[in-house]
Amino acid sequence: MNPFHPENRGSWIDYDERYIWHPYTQMQLVPRSIGVERGEGAYLYLSDGRRVFDGISSWWVTLHGHAHPKIARAIAEQAAKLEQVIFAGFTHEPATRLAKKLVEISPDGLDKVFFSDNGSTAVEAAIKMAIQYWKLLGEDRTEILALDHAYHGDTFGAMSASARGYFTKPFEEFLFSVNRLPFPDPSEPESEIRFLEALRTAGKRNTIAAFVYEPLLLGAGGMLMWRPSILEEALNIAKEFGLLCIADEVLTGFGRTGTMFASDQANTKPDLMTLSKGITGGFLPMGITMASSKIFEAFLSNDRAKTFFHGHSYTGNPISAAAALASLDIFETESVFERIKSIETAHAKHAPVLAAKHNLKHRQIGTIAAFEPMDNTGYLSTKSLEWSKRALEMGLLIRPLGDTLYLLPPYASTPDDLAFAYEVFDAILT
Ligand SMILES: Cc1ncc(COP(=O)(O)O)c(C=O)c1O
C-alpha cells in the first residue's frame, strides 16, 4: 500500500502504529505512541493539545531546553552552507572549532578529539583505542574492567562493558568477558573498600587494558551515585598500575552533575573520555571520544597498518558540530550554571520531604534526583508503567528505571516547574 496516495492518507500518528518499530518498546504492549508537535524550553506540546513538562530531558539529551533559538539558528545557517563532508582527509570549521573548545574545557590531559555519532559508538571507539594502544606497545593487556550496574550502550562492545541483564541476555555468548568491580555504594562503606581492593587486585595482574566507568553517576543502572573521593582513589590506583581510565561522560557531561564534567570533581583525570547526548544541546546526534596525547602518539607510525581503523559515515558532521558550538556558546553567554544551581536547590528542598512521606530511599547529584522504594523489584516492574501513565495524565513526562523514579530536567526548568514535578510524584505515589 502506498501511504502517500490520497486515498490512503490518514493521520501521521496512524502511520506510526503501522510502520514503526520503537526502541526499548514491547510493541505488543505499547502499540500506540504519543504524538509530539513541538517543544519549547522545558516543555513538550502534544498532538492532542496538552503541554507536558519534560522531566527526563527526552532521554537525557535536551540540555538548555527544547528548540533553543540560538541552536536552531546555528543549525539552519550551517545546513545552508555545508551539511556534510567526508571526514578522512577533509575537515571544516565547525569541527575544528569544536575540537579546540572541547580540549580547552575538558579535564586536563585530554588533547585529541575523535568524532562519531552516538554514545555507544563513542564508547566503542574508546575501548578499541585502549585495546589497540597496548597492542601497539607490544604489551599483553587485553582485559577490560567495568562496574557492576554499568551501562555504556547497546552496540556489542558497549554491551560487553555494561552489566548483564535483560538488555544483554539474548546476546550473552557473543559478548566479550569483562572483569566486574563491585559498585561503591556510599550507603555501604564496605562496598567502597571492596571496590578499591578489587581494582587494586586486578591492577596487579598487569593484564588490564582499561577501566571503563561512569563517573559519579550510573544512569541506566538505576541512577546510582558514588562519591568523588572514591572516584579519585580509584583513578589513583588505576594509574599506579598503568591502566587506561575511560570516563564515560555520555550522560554526566555538560553540567548534569553540577560541574561541567563529573570528572572535574576528582583531581586525577581520565586518559579517555566519551561524550554524546547533551553535547549538541540535545538537538542532533554526535559522539566524541577524547584521548590523551600519550594514546594518540602511540598510533603514529609510517606503517599504515597501525592506523585506528574506525569511523562512521556521519563522523564530524558539520551541522551537529555547529549545534554543539552554539550550545557551548550558551554556557558562556547565559547564566547556565545559575540555572543548574537553582535546579539543585529545588531538589534539595523537595526531595527529602517526598522521600520521608513515602518511605523512599533518595539520592541527588547536581540536577538529578532519584527515588526508590525500600523493596525495589527491578527493571521490569509494572509500577513504572503505571507511574509514567499517571504522571503524563497530570502533565509530566517521566520514564522510571524499574521502580526507580527520577528527575533529570532541562536547564530551562524553573523552581515552579520542579515544584510541580514533585507534586506529581507525590500524587502518583499516594
Ligand atoms: C553512560 C552512557 N554511556 C553510553 C550510552 C549510550 O548512548 P547512546 O544511547 O547514544 O548510544 C548511554 C545512554 O544512555 C549512557 O547513559
Side-chain angles (χ1 to χ4, degrees):
M1 187 195 83
N2 174 5
F4 300 107
H5 189 280
E7 278 180 16
N8 297 329
R9 235 178 246 158
S11 137
W12 56 264
I13 195 76
D14 297 328
Y15 301 155
D16 182 276
E17 196 167 336
R18 200 174 305 165
Y19 300 112
I20 294 182
W21 186 348
H22 286 272
Y24 302 115
T25 304
Q26 175 42 263
M27 297 303 291
Q28 184 160 313
L29 298 178
V30 192
R32 192 92 189 166
S33 295
I34 295 152
V36 181
E37 293 288 338
R38 66 184 189 90
E40 188 181 332
Y43 284 84
L44 293 167
Y45 295 81
L46 308 187
S47 303
D48 61 13
R50 282 182 295 159
R51 186 178 93 130
V52 169
F53 175 48
D54 187 351
I56 54 161
S57 297
S58 283
W59 255 345
W60 319 345
V61 302
T62 306
L63 202 67
H64 308 288
H66 289 280
H68 193 296
K70 233 180 226 173
I71 303 179
R73 209 164 35 243
I75 288 174
E77 281 167 13
Q78 187 57 45
K81 193 171 168 193
L82 176 68
E83 82 301 343
Q84 165 67 8
V85 65
I86 178 174
F87 206 60
F90 293 82
T91 192
H92 51 81
E93 185 173 355
T96 55
R97 286 200 187 283
L98 176 60
K100 176 173 183 286
K101 192 86 210 159
L102 288 173
V103 170
E104 282 165 8
I105 64 170
S106 63
D108 286 348
L110 297 167
D111 304 319
K112 294 286 172 182
V113 175
F114 184 88
F115 289 92
S116 60
D117 43 27
N118 61 67
S120 304
T121 54
V123 171
E124 292 287 333
I127 292 176
K128 286 173 72 175
M129 279 175 189
I131 291 171
Q132 192 173 344
Y133 169 82
W134 291 112
K135 293 255 157 80
L136 290 167
L137 262 56
E139 284 201 39
D140 188 21
R141 282 180 179 257
T142 50
E143 292 179 70
I144 301 293
L145 288 181
L147 283 166
D148 271 344
H149 309 294
Y151 177 74
H152 295 289
D154 291 346
T155 50
F156 274 84
M159 265 199 294
S160 299
S162 302
R164 301 294 180 264
Y166 295 112
F167 288 22
T168 58
K169 197 161 181 28
F171 316 105
E172 213 145 282
E173 67 266 40
F174 301 99
L175 304 178
F176 58 77
S177 67
V178 160
N179 290 281
R180 280 294 145 207
L181 300 174
F183 173 69
D185 182 347
S187 68
E188 282 174 47
E190 323 83 68
S191 72
E192 296 180 324
I193 296 166
R194 275 202 307 278
F195 160 65
L196 294 172
E197 278 173 359
L199 180 59
R200 184 176 289 282
T201 306
K204 281 182 187 158
R205 289 204 296 274
N206 287 330
T207 50
I208 311 293
F211 167 41
V212 54
Y213 58 95
E214 296 157 86
L216 307 185
L217 174 72
L218 277 61
M223 293 295 158
L224 304 175
M225 298 166 194
W226 52 304
R227 295 195 291 143
S229 58
I230 300 296
L231 170 62
E232 182 161 322
E233 271 191 68
L235 294 186
N236 288 341
I237 293 170
K239 301 255 165 164
E240 186 184 329
F241 294 103
L243 279 60
L244 296 181
C245 297
I246 306 175
D248 179 354
E249 296 239 15
V250 165
L251 163 59
T252 50
F254 306 103
R256 295 281 188 201
T257 67
T259 45
M260 196 60 164
F261 302 100
S263 297
D264 293 339
Q265 296 183 41
N267 288 316
T268 312
K269 304 301 176 193
D271 306 281
L272 290 150
M273 183 167 92
T274 59
L275 301 170
S276 188
K277 291 198 183 279
I279 186 164
T280 58
F283 276 61
L284 286 168
M286 170 167 269
I288 297 281
T289 308
M290 299 191 67
S292 65
S293 298
K294 172 178 94 173
I295 296 173
F296 174 77
E297 282 160 16
F299 286 74
L300 298 179
S301 170
N302 290 328
D303 179 357
R304 291 178 64 203
K306 293 183 175 167
T307 303
F308 184 53
F309 285 113
H310 186 106
H312 300 277
S313 312
Y314 283 97
T315 288
N317 176 262
I319 308 175
S320 297
L325 278 170
S327 173
L328 291 175
D329 190 56
I330 291 168
F331 274 95
E332 285 174 11
T333 53
E334 299 181 20
S335 42
V336 177
F337 275 96
E338 274 172 36
R339 290 176 198 153
I340 288 172
K341 193 81 212 150
S342 100
I343 294 171
E344 284 188 45
T345 308
H347 283 315
K349 177 174 162 199
H350 300 290
V353 180
L354 182 86
K357 180 165 173 194
H358 296 280
N359 194 26
L360 304 168
K361 287 192 250 177
H362 84 288
R363 41 192 181 264
Q364 185 195 339
I365 185 167
T367 60
I368 301 155
F371 307 86
E372 61 179 287
M374 298 297 171
D375 58 337
N376 195 333
T377 56
Y379 190 79
L380 295 191
S381 160
T382 46
K383 263 191 237 163
S384 65
L385 297 177
E386 184 57 27
W387 283 338
S388 307
K389 190 165 159 268
R390 290 197 49 213
L392 193 70
E393 282 163 6
M394 296 179 71
L396 171 68
L397 167 60
I398 54 168
R399 193 180 161 91
L401 296 156
D403 279 354
T404 304
L405 270 171
Y406 69 90
L407 286 170
L408 195 160
Y411 302 157
S413 312
T414 64
D416 284 349
D417 294 331
L418 270 292
F420 163 71
Y422 276 95
E423 270 169 35
V424 174
F425 272 15
D426 182 32
I428 63 175
L429 287 162
T430 298

